[in-house]
Amino acid sequence: MEEIIEAKRSLGNGRWDKILKRKMVELSFADNYEEAKDEWETTGKVYKHTHYGQQPDWVEETGHLGYCLCGRNIAYHFQVENTVTGVKEVVGSDHIGSYLIIRQIMKNTNLRQEDITDAMVEDWLKTRIQTMKSDAWWEENGEHFNEMFEAIQQLDARINVKDKHYTTRGGGLSVEYYMHSNLMTRAKGKFGDYGYQMASIVWRWNHADNPKNQVTKYGYPNDRLWADLNLFYALRHVHQATVDKEDEQLAKYTERLVEQNRFKAKQAEEYREKRRLQNLAWEAGREERERLAEQARIEEEKQRRIRAIKKRKQALAILERADETFEEMKDYYGFPDYDINKLQSHEITSLATIKDMLALGHALEQSHLTALRRIFNKSNPAG
């Protein structure tokens, strides 16, 4: 968990606070704490102690590595300086309170001490201490972190993900399968347990779509991210084997899909070539088709004329044939004689059809009578 450092306007009367007051006075020009405390301010240097051999000289020189000036065990070492005597010492996060910060705020803002509010101290503490801790963390772990992060960030985007599935991009012979997924934004399970699924390291550290990424929020990774990075880095060869197997399958799928598209493209090309040759053949035979069509039209016209002549002859034969029933019906209906030479072919055919109907004893309908009247009137306009 992240260490919470609260600003203290002044030291209390607890055991460690009393010891610190006494030590500060001993190292100050003033001979009482109320005056001595105003001589001290933070320098901005900080070191987080994890193991021996990495501590900076300014911590080593105090002679109490791992301990505050008051004697209490500490992890974070904050350097403070007496601006009067020039003495530099180290205190822990519990004692890097506002009374050590106010002097710096006064320098930076030209405000009087009584004008500096608790909110101003808290703001300074929130940003400045975070920067101190970040610098300390990077001084100790930065090189190792960068080396590991550079090595695993591509793997992280393939392993620490959810909704993983194969899909395609591109088209034709440039199509390819790839692994689509979304970064894990929340871990599943507990660290160290079987089946533990860590959240994406990249997402938590510096992903642009994560407004709470730790490089922006803290400036250094929290303990959980640091632990996950070390674990993931240690298992990177196992994860790489998983990715290699996926990539091998993706390559097979891609090769198969490309071959299918190649076959389809070949079929399409063959079809286009077939249509092209058909069009050429069609154009090449256009003149012959037109000649044959004209020949067929002429022959059809000839046959039509032959049929018309034959039909006219048959109709004339019927009309020239004597038929008492037809003559009686003419008299019955009051139709005069007609001049066949004044009739057109279709009128002759109609007249012959009606004559056949009468000869067979069929009654005439009104349409037949109308046709007969028109024919006889045309043949005998004066009648």
Side-chain angles (χ1 to χ4, degrees), residues 2-48:
E2 288 297 314
E3 181 180 358
I4 299 175
I5 302 176
E6 297 180 351
K8 297 179 181 179
R9 177 64 73 164
S10 61
L11 294 177
N13 294 313
R15 173 190 175 190
W16 302 115
D17 286 359
K18 288 181 179 179
I19 295 175
L20 181 61
K21 289 179 181 179
R22 177 171 56 80
K23 292 288 187 70
M24 290 176 67
V25 171
E26 292 175 357
L27 299 172
S28 300
F29 178 78
D31 58 4
N32 64 85
Y33 174 70
E34 290 303 319
E35 295 180 8
K37 70 177 182 178
D38 293 331
E39 299 177 13
W40 293 86
E41 67 178 23
T42 178
T43 66
K45 290 184 178 181
V46 63
Y47 161 71
K48 183 179 181 182

Side-chain angles (χ1 to χ4, degrees), residues 24 29 40 59 120 148 178-179 196 198-199 231 263 278 289 292 307 358 363:
M24 290 176 67
F29 178 78
W40 293 86
V59 175
M120 294 170 64
M148 291 193 296
Y178 72 100
M179 185 65 72
Y196 170 63
M198 68 178 64
L231 175 62
F263 178 73
Q278 288 176 340
R289 289 195 307 276
L292 292 175
R307 290 193 298 271
L358 291 174

Side-chain angles (χ1 to χ4, degrees), residues 41 101-111 116 120 124 128:
E41 67 178 23
I101 299 170
I102 289 174
R103 287 175 63 88
Q104 279 206 359
I105 297 178
M106 291 171 61
K107 288 180 180 179
N108 295 335
T109 62
N110 293 322
L111 291 174
I116 298 175
M120 294 170 64
W124 186 95
R128 185 61 178 170

Side-chain angles (χ1 to χ4, degrees), residues 145-162:
F145 176 89
N146 290 330
E147 177 186 347
M148 291 193 296
F149 186 77
E150 180 68 24
I152 63 86
Q153 58 180 331
Q154 297 299 324
L155 282 175
D156 175 77
R158 292 287 297 275
I159 299 297
N160 296 323
V161 295
K162 59 184 178 180

Side-chain angles (χ1 to χ4, degrees), residues 276-368:
R276 187 184 70 83
L277 295 176
Q278 288 176 340
N279 290 336
L280 289 176
W282 176 263
E283 289 298 323
R286 180 187 296 276
E287 186 175 340
E288 178 63 14
R289 289 195 307 276
E290 291 176 350
R291 185 187 67 79
L292 292 175
E294 179 62 18
Q295 184 178 345
R297 186 190 65 77
I298 293 172
E299 180 62 25
E300 176 60 25
E301 179 64 21
K302 177 181 178 182
Q303 293 299 322
R304 187 191 65 76
R305 288 197 300 268
I306 292 173
R307 290 193 298 271
I309 292 172
K310 182 178 180 181
K311 190 174 183 180
R312 179 183 176 85
K313 287 181 178 180
Q314 290 174 344
L316 288 174
I318 292 172
L319 294 177
E320 291 174 356
R321 185 178 67 225
D323 189 297
E324 292 182 3
T325 301
F326 181 66
E327 294 299 328
E328 290 175 357
M329 292 303 297
K330 281 175 55 184
D331 292 340
Y332 175 78
Y333 287 108
F335 293 128
D337 292 332
Y338 56 87
D339 186 352
I340 198 169
N341 294 320
K342 294 182 178 180
L343 300 180
Q344 296 181 5
S345 294
H346 71 279
E347 293 171 331
I348 293 173
T349 302
S350 297
L351 189 57
T353 300
I354 293 173
K355 185 175 182 179
D356 257 354
M357 290 177 61
L358 291 174
L360 294 173
H362 296 304
L364 298 181
E365 297 180 0
Q366 183 60 44
S367 60
H368 299 136

